[in-house]
Amino acid sequence: MEKRPSQIITDFLNFLEAADREYESAYADVGKEDNRVQTFLHDMEFAPDGKTRNRIATRLQQSRRERRKGKDRVQLFGKIHDFLADRQNQNLPKSLRRLQNEQVTVEKYLFGNREFKNRVD
């Protein structure tokens, strides 16, 4: 066994937390890029010449590409975020933390401070 069960539980909990943070960050990034569109449109409206409009259009295009990356991240982590936000599942992380602590206690009893070998004694 490469990892102790408590470490696998810890890794999963860390994944859930990281996925939720990533979703929140990506969602905020999409909102930021949405707000920038209005600024670009306003700047284009009052651009004095075509060269300035082209520079603004290039920045708009770059913003839209960044927004797409953010939306892809939102979609990638959206189901995990929705799962954690669901009222029925809100106790899951707490239950897994409790399980993790109990598992650590068992592992300390069984193995003490020595490292896990490739097999269970």
Side-chain angles (χ1 to χ4, degrees), residues 80-97:
I80 298 164
H81 172 78
D82 293 346
F83 178 83
L84 293 173
D86 188 326
R87 192 166 174 248
Q88 292 178 320
N89 301 324
Q90 288 181 347
N91 288 327
L92 177 67
K94 292 176 189 174
S95 297
L96 286 173
R97 285 274 177 228

Side-chain angles (χ1 to χ4, degrees), residues 21-35:
R21 282 192 309 271
E22 183 67 23
Y23 172 86
E24 295 293 338
S25 173
Y27 191 84
D29 290 347
V30 169
K32 182 179 80 173
E33 294 302 327
D34 282 343
N35 291 336

Side-chain angles (χ1 to χ4, degrees), residues 33 58-72:
E33 294 302 327
T58 298
R59 290 187 0 233
L60 172 62
Q61 181 184 38
Q62 291 166 345
S63 173
R64 298 302 290 175
R65 287 179 178 160
E66 287 302 311
R67 183 182 183 278
R68 169 55 40 209
K69 288 177 188 176
K71 283 200 67 154
D72 290 349

